[in-house]
Amino acid sequence: MRTFTNVKDLGDLNQAVKEALEIKKNRFAYKNLGENKTLLMVFFNSSLRTRLSTQKAGMNLGMNTIVLDINQGAWKLETERGVIMDGDKTEHILEAIPVMGSYCDIIGLRAFAKYENKEDDYTEKILNQFIKYSGKPVFSMEAATGHPLQAFADLITIEEYKKKERPKVVMTWAPHPKALPQAVPNSFADFMNEANVDFVITHPKGYELDEKFVRGAKIEYDQKKALEKADFVYAKNWAAYTDPNYGQILSKDRSWTINTEKMSLTDNGYFMHCLPVRRNMIVTDEVIESPQSIVVQEAANREISAQTILKRMLENL
Ligand code: AN0
Ligand code: CP
């Protein structure tokens, strides 16, 4: 594997989940694979889970890991070619990327959508420059349009907890005070569309996501109806995608918050969220603290999804 940015990079998805579950049984089975290999993790945005789980995954494989927080101690990077650099940006990304590539064997990148220019975000301008100019395998640790490590961990979690051959999985929009990226819901849809699940998306009108990820999945605007008999409830906020509201908050309607009453509509369904989550905005204390909440187990599987990707990249070096 040379890049990991979407579900297609995994090839056979069932096989990938199987491989991940094998790794989970003995995560130190490949501890020599990464010997003398260096993982560089570059963060343009904050992180708790991605940073810790991906570093742990690298360590399980015997890799050395370096973490760079661009906004804490690195030079401010210019990303536009042709700019006269007389402002506050000290270094151009076109030098910085190959330099970073020269110190490592694999690069993980976190670079959220900036919501300044839809085309820049949806062409993955930053991620694609890393792929093009670093000379190294690159994987997304949440880029502008996707968070495939999260969606892969989500799928592994669903596989572990499902009680039916083809469970009903409902992704529901929920309110949040700040404009959040579409990366997590995009990738979740991308993966669920390829998985053996009955996938339904529910959100207020105006929150339609990019068809490239939704790919004709069922949309039900009535949240309660969508939640009926669900086996998994996947809550997430995102800002509007469609023009002219790209990147904007259209609603903070707390009638969309996941509470006990809504969970009672499901088939004793599990509650999932990628975290970090704002309690009593996205989900009530009661639901997230209930036995049906598997958010911590889901986060723990981030180590497994990251390790599967790193293992495949190391095998291909
Ligand atoms: C980010 C998001 O919604 O994409 C990261 C989630 C993994 N969340 C926040 O910025 C709060
Ligand atoms: N779920 C997730 O990616 O969390 P972090 O933003 O804390 O890495």
Side-chain angles (χ1 to χ4, degrees), residues 46-51 110 142 147 150 274-276 302:
S46 305
S47 168
L48 187 153
R49 278 143 293 273
T50 303
R51 179 173 181 148
R110 170 160 285 200
E142 187 173 342
H147 193 0
Q150 180 64 50
C274 64
L275 305 181
R302 290 291 308 278

Side-chain angles (χ1 to χ4, degrees), residues 264-284:
S264 73
L265 301 169
T266 71
D267 191 3
N268 199 24
Y270 289 107
F271 175 81
M272 298 178 73
H273 189 281
C274 64
L275 305 181
V277 73
R278 293 197 185 224
R279 284 179 175 220
N280 304 310
M281 288 294 300
I282 303 278
V283 58
T284 61

